[in-house]
């Protein structure tokens, strides 16, 4: 079932959904399974699998010389999505990036997903490649996420890049896009960021998943502001428990968000990261309860590969 079909079927009940990372190259699926197994008893409606683009590394060769090599440290987003779908009989949602993809490669990835029985995809622009300062689109690719959304919707209408294909098959994808309650870091202002979100919706996006936030008021205001400019599709809150002291600096820097004063004060009182992890669970449990009471479509947890803290939260909620 598509993400939007799950939401419709739930008739206002809040669903559970998860996001996982593909394993690092050289690892098997053991860790993913160990972390997903305990969460599957709470019947997540869908599981997202992130996409990790290529990066350039310097490799030492002979005589102290170095050469550049392009690697992908977490390949196999589509394969992991399919494996999970088959193992757990749960719908999976691979993430698909504009960054590093030509339109032809995007089309081929979508054809592969369609053949594998995947019918929801999260369409993203992606960040600058590691080592680059600013995002640069492939010259044969999309500069923004709205371009991928349009390409997916074209495929749903049987429109391929090659217009000579005879009797083309129409795919049937449901498309999610990212939304930022605290503004995307590159946007000059919140209002313009919302307008570009609206452009993704006008291109055919079916639902939105938000960047993480630690203050529910940010999400409630974002939803209100989206509705005010005519964005009617479901807006799923993306949630992550705080787990280390270092994240007080890291999360605002990486995701351009504010951490509430009360939360920061409590983190400073924690004597070690074990205590921070417990605080993160308590904070996100409260956040989740309030969001569920407000009737959000799904509570979408970023597991980041470890699920002990998410298990504790989900146990209280579902
Ligand atoms: P866009 O919607 O294209 O927006 C990017 C910026 O450009 C914004 O500032 C926007 O306001 C602006 N903009 C948009 N359209 C236009 C336009 N037409 N003209 C001018 N400006 C425009 N990253 C990964 O690498 N892999 C993942 O799996 C992944 N999953 C994610 C999941 C979620 C739920 C979220 C919230 C983020 C995820 N990201 C992931 C991070 C994401 O790739 C970055 O935040 C990226 O910088 C922006 O992606 P986007 O799709 O929101 O871009």
């Amino acid at each position: 079932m598509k993400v939007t079909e799950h939401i419709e079927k739930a008739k206002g009940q809040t669903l559970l959904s998860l996001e996982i990372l593909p394993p690092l190259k050289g690892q098997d699926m053991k860790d993913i399974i160990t972390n997903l197994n305990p969460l599957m008893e709470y019947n997540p409606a869908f599981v997202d699998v992130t996409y990790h683009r290529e990066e350039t590394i310097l490799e030492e060769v002979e005589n102290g010389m170095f050469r550049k090599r392009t690697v992908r440290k977490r390949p196999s987003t589509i394969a992991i999505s399919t494996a999970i779908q088959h193992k757990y009989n749960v719908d999976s949602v691979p993430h698909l990036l504009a960054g590093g993809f030509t339109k032809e490669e995007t089309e081929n990835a979508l054809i592969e997903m369609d053949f594998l029985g995947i019918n929801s995809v999260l369409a993203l622009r992606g960040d600058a490649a590691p080592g680059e300062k600013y995002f640069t689109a492939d010259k044969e690719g999309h500069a923004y996420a709205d371009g991928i959304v349009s390409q997916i919707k074209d495929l749903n209408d049987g429109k391929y890049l090659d217009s000579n294909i005879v009797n083309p098959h129409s795919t049937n994808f449901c498309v999610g896009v990212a939304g930022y309650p605290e503004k995307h870091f590159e946007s000059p202002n919140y209002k313009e960021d919302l307008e570009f979100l609206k452009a993704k919706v006008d291109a055919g996006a079916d639902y939105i998943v938000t960047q993480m936030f630690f203050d529910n008021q940010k999400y409630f205001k974002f939803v209100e502001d989206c509705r005010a400019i005519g964005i009617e599709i479901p807006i799923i809150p993306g949630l992550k428990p705080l787990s280390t002291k270092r994240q007080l600096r890291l999360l605002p820097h990486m995701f351009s968000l504010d951490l509430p004063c009360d939360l920061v004060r409590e983190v400073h009182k924690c004597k070690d990261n074990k205590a921070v992890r417990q605080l993160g669970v308590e904070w996100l449990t409260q956040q989740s309860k309030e969001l569920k009471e407000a009737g959000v479509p799904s509570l979408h947890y970023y597991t980041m590969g470890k699920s002990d803290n998410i298990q504790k939260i989900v146990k209280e909620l579902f």
Side-chain angles (χ1 to χ4, degrees):
M1 256 198 303
K2 298 174 185 178
V3 168
T4 44
E5 288 170 341
H6 279 288
I7 294 172
E8 277 155 32
K9 194 171 156 225
K11 295 196 169 79
Q13 292 287 310
T14 298
L15 301 168
L16 164 67
S17 51
L18 306 167
E19 181 182 293
I20 63 162
L21 280 63
L24 280 167
K25 188 178 274 184
Q27 304 298 308
D28 59 12
M29 283 188 60
K30 206 166 58 227
D31 270 4
I32 291 193
I33 290 166
T34 309
N35 280 289
L36 266 185
N37 272 349
L39 289 168
M40 295 319 287
E41 66 177 272
Y42 300 100
N43 295 318
F46 56 94
V47 178
D48 275 47
V49 184
T50 53
Y51 190 93
H52 299 258
R53 63 177 298 186
E54 75 292 347
E55 56 188 281
T56 306
I57 56 161
L58 278 181
E59 202 173 51
E60 194 165 358
V61 285
E62 292 155 5
N63 305 329
M65 303 287 279
F66 288 85
R67 74 158 175 229
K68 280 185 177 175
R69 194 157 70 88
T70 304
V71 294
R72 278 189 63 209
K73 291 186 175 165
R74 293 183 186 271
S76 307
T77 297
I78 300 178
I80 296 290
S81 304
T82 312
I84 284 167
Q85 194 148 288
H86 285 278
K87 178 168 174 60
Y88 294 111
N89 196 23
V90 66
D91 288 302
S92 64
V93 183
H95 292 188
L96 183 62
L97 300 188
F101 276 73
T102 64
K103 290 177 190 165
E104 177 74 19
E105 286 163 343
T106 300
E107 185 172 273
N108 293 342
L110 289 162
I111 291 170
E112 212 167 306
M113 290 178 200
D114 183 52
F115 286 159
L116 289 165
I118 289 167
N119 49 27
S120 298
V121 56
L122 194 76
L124 300 144
R125 187 201 68 178
D127 286 317
E132 275 183 9
K133 200 155 180 203
Y134 301 105
F135 175 84
T136 2
D138 187 290
K139 57 180 189 308
E140 303 291 332
H142 297 289
Y144 297 102
D146 60 352
I148 320 183
V149 177
S150 301
Q151 188 175 359
I152 300 171
K153 289 293 160 166
D154 279 350
L155 267 197
N156 281 356
D157 291 336
K159 267 195 244 161
Y160 288 71
L161 295 170
D162 177 356
S163 54
N164 295 321
I165 292 175
V166 180
N167 198 12
H169 158 72
S170 298
T171 57
N172 187 18
F173 286 110
C174 158
V175 189
V177 290
Y180 302 85
E182 298 180 64
K183 179 181 101 58
H184 182 259
F185 71 100
E186 287 170 24
S187 265
N189 59 57
Y190 174 76
K191 187 167 173 288
E192 188 178 293
D193 201 29
L194 278 188
E195 281 160 12
F196 285 127
L197 176 58
K198 176 81 167 40
K200 295 194 269 194
V201 176
D202 293 344
D206 298 295
Y207 70 99
I208 295 164
V209 183
T210 75
Q211 185 55 279
M212 66 184 77
F213 54 88
F214 293 83
D215 172 358
N216 286 349
Q217 294 316 311
K218 299 262 169 66
Y219 168 83
F220 294 134
K221 179 173 184 309
F222 175 69
V223 174
E224 207 180 297
D225 294 338
C226 285
R227 300 306 180 222
I229 59 163
I231 296 176
E232 314 265 342
I233 58 177
I235 302 178
I236 297 174
L239 302 163
K240 178 186 147 47
L242 200 76
S243 55
T244 62
K245 280 202 184 201
R246 207 169 147 247
Q247 288 175 342
L248 288 188
R249 301 263 169 259
L250 219 57
L251 295 180
H253 175 69
M254 286 177 71
F255 302 109
S256 186
L257 49 81
D258 265 3
L259 293 167
C261 296
D262 290 354
L263 176 59
V264 174
R265 203 174 306 118
E266 292 305 314
V267 173
H268 285 312
K269 285 188 209 159
C270 290
K271 71 173 192 322
D272 54 23
N273 278 338
K274 192 168 168 229
V276 179
R277 206 167 171 85
Q278 180 54 28
L279 172 68
V281 167
E282 286 162 20
W283 187 274
L284 191 51
T285 303
Q286 286 316 312
Q287 257 193 284
S288 303
K289 282 183 178 165
E290 190 184 24
L291 290 165
K292 196 172 179 210
E293 269 162 31
V296 301
S298 186
L299 293 169
H300 186 75
Y301 294 103
Y302 299 127
T303 68
M304 310 305 286
K306 290 270 174 281
S307 74
D308 60 303
N309 47 3
I310 310 286
Q311 283 169 46
K312 289 182 189 157
I313 298 163
V314 164
K315 195 168 154 227
E316 296 289 318
L317 271 294
F318 294 94

